[in-house]
């Protein structure tokens, strides 16, 4: 059920309840008040008249009763005097007998044939009068009609006014609720118009500085962040697709040329070799892309375990030392006792990437060092080379995806610019950092710092 | 046939060269923008196969610079960037064709043949005669430094005149090329629009380049600028 309807119903229900309670109480007390004042009046009149008849033989007529009726009964229960009520006794004999002992109040509707304000709903008060010749009874009565009418009128007014008030309250509640909810509906409408692929933080923030404005501001923040994330993702996909196209084109061209008639065995072998190499490059690229896509999506799932660092670094270095005669060996420097709580596969992947970069940028006789040590509660792995170092304008962007130091990919084995991005992703998954600097003595250093103490 | 192949990926450039040489082309190779422009200006090529992502300046700019240097060798852009925006940009920069990687040699060969059939007439993307200039891609026109504000029909009319400078264009020809078959109106609509055009390109500048040739039609005068 819409909030507006719920609020209005609740409000209407509450108002109606309050009104009913108030009316009931008011009418009740009004009634009591009115009857109370009639009873007091009757008591006063009975006192006055009792005085008159208290001494035997006493008068035989009652004074004029402008506002009611009165009757006097003697000790034997015979009607002695009557005013305003004719000759019919106002009380039954039983009541009379009861009244001889103590005052009796009763309400009766008098016989309509009586000539007076009779036929009315009347309140009667019967009091005993002690006389020398027995206990007489005086009955005085007042019409309850005014009281009844007053209460009836009140009830009528409430019967009309009450529902009217409830209706007005309902309308007021409806308008207020609508007014309050209108900004919400406006926002909902704006959001509905937004396209999911291009979220803009374009919700209009109302100037009321209330909860709705706060909601709009927060939503705009979210939309900004989502927009940034989507743009980044889209850029990644576009770049990835583009990067994949080049090796694919080479592969295809290689095969198409090899497929032309009249190829010698040697040419075919060469073409197949080149195609295989390009396939490798493609699958490495695809793996790298998948890795990065996955870490964007779900964050890297690390499997930390106590790892011997030196053997890991040595294995990475050995895997690359395929032509020991061609270049100086890669030096590994780490304490054999160095053990840290890291994900060994991921660390190996990062070190592999760093060594590849170093090899790619090293001169033929350049020395490459892979060092590991513990520093301030962190495992630090650094790869150093003797190459030209990072171009200064590239350094701040070194770890971004698809960024290469030489934007010309004029190298035969040109990478796609993902190696360092992957290293950073692995470092961040370990809650660590990756950094790159140029050594003053020449060459570059890329350092990975992984916090491993305190709870890991 | 002499072809210039430009690609910064050495492997790619090598493969294209090999493929074309086997088909009898004589092939030169460049690996960056500046080298491509230099070679393209120094030598006359029958066609240029041009990658877009180049160091120095990109393929679009190579194309523009060659056209500015009056080199009208047909250009086929061969690139991994295949978005519509890239293709529009490349073609508007003065390229003659656009082929997206990965490509097939068969298709590259066919497009080379198609593009060299067309010959090497000057085909500027932006038309210019005297101090009148018109860019069909951006729908803008200028006389000197002043931009002209033309309606679509006036623009189309001016474009036609600029494509045939100094030639007499008959009313029929103007009608056929600027208005379509469905046009059912009077043929003096041509006179009307030439009038409008004059009021925009000649009168405010005190010129009289758009002349009436009595009994024949209209002509845009070629003034030495």
């Amino acid at each position: 059920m819409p909030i507006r309807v719920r609020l209005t119903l609740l409000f209407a229900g509450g108002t109606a309840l309050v009104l009913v309670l108030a009316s009931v109480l008011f009418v009740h007390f009004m009634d009591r008040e009115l009857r109370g004042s009639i009873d007091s009046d009757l008591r006063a009149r009975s006192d006055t008249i009792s005085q008159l008849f208290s001494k035997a033989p006493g008068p035989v007529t009652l004074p004029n009763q402008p506002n009611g009726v009165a009757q006097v009964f003697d000790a034997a229960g015979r009607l002695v005097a009557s005013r305003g009520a004719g000759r019919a006794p106002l009380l039954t004999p039983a009541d009379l007998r009861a009244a001889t002992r103590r005052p009796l109040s009763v309400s009766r509707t008098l016989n309509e044939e009586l000539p007076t304000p009779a036929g009315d709903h009347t309140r009667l008060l019967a009091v005993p009068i002690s006389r020398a010749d027995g206990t007489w009874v005086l009955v005085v009565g007042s019409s309850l009609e005014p009281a009844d009418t007053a209460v009836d009128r009140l009830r009528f007014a409430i019967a009309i006014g009450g529902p009217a008030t409830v209706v007005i309250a309902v309308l007021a509640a409806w308008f207020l609720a609508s007014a309050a909810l209108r900004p919400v509906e406006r926002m909902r409408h704006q959001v509905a118009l937004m396209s999911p692929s291009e979220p803009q933080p374009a919700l209009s923030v109302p100037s009321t500085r209330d909860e709705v404005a706060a909601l709009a501001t927060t939503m705009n923040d979210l939309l900004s962040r989502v927009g940034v994330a989507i743009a980044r993702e889209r850029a990644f996909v576009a770049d990835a697709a583009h990067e994949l196209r080049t090796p694919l084109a080479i592969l295809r061209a290689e095969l198409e040329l090899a497929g032309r008639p009249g190829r010698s065995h040697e040419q075919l072998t060469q073409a197949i070799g080149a195609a295989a190499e390009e396939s490798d490059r493609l699958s490495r690229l695809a793996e790298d892309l998948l890795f990065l896509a996955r870490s964007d999506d779900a964050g890297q799932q690390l499997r930390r375990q106590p790892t011997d660092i030196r053997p890991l670094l040595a294995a990475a270095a050995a895997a690359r030392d395929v032509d020991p005669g061609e270049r100086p060996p890669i030096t590994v420097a780490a304490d054999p006792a160095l053990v840290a709580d890291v994900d060994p596969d991921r660390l190996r992947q990062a070190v592999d990437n760093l060594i590849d970069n170093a090899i790619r940028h090293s001169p033929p006789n350049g020395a490459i060092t892979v060092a590991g040590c513990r520093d301030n509660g962190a495992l630090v792995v650094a790869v150093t080379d003797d190459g030209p170092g990072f171009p200064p304008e590239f350094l701040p962007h070194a770890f971004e995806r698809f960024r290469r130091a030489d934007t010309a990919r004029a190298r035969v084995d040109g990478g796609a610019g993902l190696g360092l991005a992957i290293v950073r992703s692995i470092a961040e998954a370990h809650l660590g950092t990756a950094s790159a600097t140029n050594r003053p003595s020449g060459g570059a250093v890329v350092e990975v710092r992984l916090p491993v103490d305190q709870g890991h | 046939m002499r072809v210039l192949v430009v690609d910064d990926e050495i492997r790619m450039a090598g493969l294209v060269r090999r493929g074309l040489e086997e088909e009898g082309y004589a092939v030169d190779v460049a690996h960056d923008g500046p080298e491509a422009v230099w070679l393209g200006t120094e030598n006359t090529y029958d066609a240029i196969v041009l990658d877009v992502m180049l160091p120095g300046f990109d393929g679009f700019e190579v194309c523009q610079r060659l056209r500015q240097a009056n080199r009208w060798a047909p250009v086929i852009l061969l690139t991994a960037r295949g978005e519509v925006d890239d293709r529009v940009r490349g073609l508007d920069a003065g390229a003659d064709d656009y082929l997206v990687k990965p490509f097939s040699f068969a298709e590259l060969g066919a497009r080379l043949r198609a593009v060299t059939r067309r010959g090497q007439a000057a085909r500027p993307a932006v038309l210019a005669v005297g101090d009148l200039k018109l860019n069909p891609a951006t729908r803008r026109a200028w006389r000197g430094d002043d931009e002209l504000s033309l309606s679509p029909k006036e623009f189309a009319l001016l474009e036609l005149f600029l494509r045939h400078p100094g030639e007499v264009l008959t009313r029929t020809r103007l009608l056929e090329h600027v208005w379509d078959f469905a046009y059912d109106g009077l043929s003096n609509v041509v006179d009307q629009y030439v009038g409008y055009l004059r009021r925009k390109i000649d009168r405010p500048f005190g010129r009289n380049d758009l002349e009436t040739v009595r009994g024949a039609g209209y002509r845009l005068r070629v003034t030495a600028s």
Side-chain angles (χ1 to χ4, degrees):
Chain A
M1 201 190 296
I3 293 183
R4 197 181 322 201
V5 172
R6 244 186 296 159
L7 271 179
T8 305
L9 282 179
L10 276 172
F11 188 62
T15 308
L17 196 64
V18 165
L19 274 177
V20 163
L21 247 102
S23 317
V24 162
L25 285 172
F26 186 54
V27 167
H28 174 76
F29 282 112
M30 192 63 162
D31 195 52
R32 255 187 34 174
E33 275 303 302
L34 288 171
R35 278 168 219 281
S37 91
I38 288 179
D39 280 345
S40 318
D41 177 58
L42 286 176
R43 275 196 295 276
R45 280 167 58 199
S46 71
D47 282 345
T48 315
I49 300 175
S50 296
Q51 299 287 357
L52 293 176
F53 284 82
S54 54
K55 288 266 184 320
V60 289
T61 52
L62 282 163
N64 213 358
Q65 301 291 310
N67 290 328
V69 298
Q71 282 180 347
V72 177
F73 296 83
D74 65 10
R78 282 189 304 259
L79 183 64
V80 169
S82 175
R83 273 283 184 197
R87 305 238 39 104
L90 289 171
L91 285 185
T92 62
D95 287 338
L96 277 175
R97 270 199 299 282
T100 54
R101 288 193 289 278
R102 63 174 159 282
L104 172 69
S105 284
V106 67
S107 303
R108 258 188 68 193
T109 304
L110 299 183
N111 192 325
E112 284 171 24
E113 282 161 19
L114 292 177
T116 49
D120 283 1
H121 191 218
T122 308
R123 181 74 165 159
L124 300 167
L125 174 64
V127 296
I129 306 177
S130 291
R131 297 164 38 120
D133 51 353
T135 308
W136 284 33
V137 175
L138 166 64
V139 180
V140 284
S142 252
S143 174
L144 286 171
E145 214 65 18
D148 287 344
T149 313
V151 169
D152 279 345
R153 279 214 198 102
L154 188 60
R155 283 214 188 94
F156 183 72
I158 287 175
I160 300 295
T165 310
V166 171
V167 166
I168 293 176
V170 165
L171 288 174
W174 180 264
F175 281 121
L176 281 175
S178 299
L181 290 172
R182 203 171 300 129
V184 174
E185 171 57 27
R186 217 179 295 140
M187 215 188 304
R188 188 206 66 81
H189 185 69
Q190 280 185 326
V191 171
L193 288 177
M194 285 184 188
S195 87
S197 52
E198 300 261 350
Q200 300 290 335
L203 287 180
S204 46
V205 180
S207 51
T208 47
R209 277 196 274 169
D210 59 2
E211 290 87 347
V212 176
L215 177 64
T217 310
T218 310
M219 280 218 64
N220 275 342
D221 276 342
L222 177 66
L223 287 169
S224 280
R225 279 183 283 139
V226 170
V228 164
I230 287 185
R232 241 185 34 169
E233 202 182 284
R234 204 175 279 149
F236 179 64
V237 169
D239 286 335
H242 181 258
E243 288 300 320
L244 286 169
R245 282 200 181 123
T246 309
L248 276 172
I250 293 179
L251 188 54
R252 190 202 177 128
E254 221 31 281
L255 292 174
E256 197 176 339
L257 285 186
R260 282 182 176 171
R263 294 296 178 205
S264 71
H265 179 85
E266 195 196 321
Q267 282 173 319
L268 286 175
T269 319
Q270 215 173 46
I272 291 175
E277 215 182 291
E278 214 53 41
S279 297
D280 282 341
R281 180 176 157 196
L282 257 176
S283 62
R284 275 200 304 277
L285 182 56
E287 282 304 318
D288 286 350
L289 287 171
L290 271 172
F291 181 85
L292 284 172
R294 226 179 284 130
S295 56
D296 274 351
D297 213 29
Q300 279 306 322
Q301 313 296 345
L302 288 188
R303 274 189 280 270
R304 283 188 194 254
Q305 61 194 73
T307 311
D308 285 317
I309 300 299
R310 193 176 198 290
L312 187 148
L313 299 182
R320 291 293 178 271
D321 266 343
V322 266
D323 295 315
E326 290 273 317
R327 55 179 318 112
I330 301 173
T331 318
V332 176
D335 187 335
L338 182 58
V339 174
D341 219 17
V342 293
D343 185 325
D345 293 331
R346 297 286 145 255
L347 181 59
R348 174 66 190 266
Q349 188 180 6
V351 174
D352 282 342
N353 280 2
L354 292 178
I355 294 180
D356 279 341
N357 273 358
I359 292 178
R360 193 176 294 141
H361 291 93
S362 268
N365 275 321
I368 298 175
T369 317
V370 180
C373 67
R374 193 182 226 98
D375 176 45
N376 245 347
L379 169 68
V380 180
V381 173
V383 174
T384 325
D385 68 60
D386 266 345
F390 289 90
E393 63 277 3
F394 177 70
L395 211 39
H397 304 292
F399 290 91
E400 286 174 24
R401 296 172 186 186
F402 301 115
R403 295 294 215 122
R404 295 185 200 85
D406 43 359
T407 46
R409 292 151 299 142
R411 310 188 137 271
V412 177
D413 59 344
L418 294 178
L420 286 178
I422 290 179
V423 169
R424 181 165 74 172
S425 175
I426 293 175
E428 284 176 357
H430 281 85
L431 304 176
T433 56
S435 57
T437 36
N438 289 328
R439 284 194 302 172
S441 50
V445 178
V446 181
E447 188 182 272
V448 169
R449 191 171 276 265
L450 309 178
V452 286
D453 290 337
Q454 288 124 24
H456 287 301
Chain B
M1 296 276 261
R2 195 158 178 208
V3 174
L4 173 64
V5 170
V6 187
D7 197 317
D8 67 326
E9 276 268 354
I10 296 186
R11 287 278 277 280
M12 193 74 239
L15 280 168
V16 176
R17 165 201 247 145
R18 199 155 44 101
L20 292 179
E21 278 177 348
E22 285 179 8
E23 294 200 27
Y25 291 90
V27 181
D28 290 339
V29 172
H31 292 299
D32 58 55
E35 197 184 351
V37 172
W38 189 81
L39 282 172
T41 326
E42 281 296 303
N43 308 315
T44 311
Y45 291 100
D46 294 291
I48 302 180
V49 176
L50 183 55
D51 183 24
V52 170
M53 305 289 281
L54 297 171
F57 32 85
D58 65 18
F60 299 139
E61 208 177 321
V62 168
C63 207
Q64 277 174 330
R65 290 196 188 201
L66 287 174
R67 296 315 185 215
Q68 271 158 11
N70 236 341
R71 309 309 272 161
W72 300 104
V75 169
I76 299 184
L77 290 171
L78 178 65
T79 173
R81 294 180 64 153
E83 293 306 305
V84 175
D85 290 339
D86 298 314
R87 284 183 276 174
V88 168
R89 208 178 140 203
L91 292 168
D92 278 339
D96 296 275
D97 204 353
Y98 202 103
L99 191 52
V100 180
K101 290 180 193 168
F103 63 97
S104 103
F105 266 108
E107 192 177 356
L108 178 59
R111 285 185 188 263
L112 271 173
R113 290 189 289 278
V115 115
T116 48
R117 275 201 292 274
R118 295 179 211 159
Q120 291 212 22
R123 310 179 296 286
V126 175
L127 302 167
V129 172
D131 63 349
L132 281 169
K133 204 161 64 150
L134 184 142
N135 187 336
T138 60
R139 317 291 306 159
R140 294 167 78 181
W142 298 260
R143 194 193 259 289
D145 293 323
D146 299 306
E147 185 161 356
L148 304 167
S149 166
L150 304 172
S151 76
K153 282 278 180 286
E154 291 163 0
F155 190 89
L157 206 54
L158 182 58
E159 188 178 343
L160 197 57
F161 278 116
L162 286 173
R163 288 196 189 280
H164 302 276
E167 269 181 58
V168 176
L169 300 177
T170 61
R171 276 188 191 76
T172 317
R173 191 160 171 200
L174 290 169
L175 189 61
E176 278 174 358
H177 285 265
V178 179
W179 282 265
D180 59 22
F181 287 124
Y183 189 74
D184 217 14
L186 306 164
S187 73
N188 80 335
V189 70
V190 174
D191 301 315
Q192 257 186 344
Y193 271 85
V194 171
Y196 296 153
L197 195 57
R198 274 192 180 128
R199 241 171 276 155
K200 290 200 180 166
I201 73 170
D202 276 347
R203 198 177 303 166
F205 303 90
R207 305 282 287 272
N208 200 3
D209 289 334
L210 197 46
E211 8 178 70
T212 311
V213 179
R214 306 209 100 232
Y218 297 98
R219 167 174 59 204
L220 180 69
R221 241 183 341 165
V222 182
T223 48
S225 56

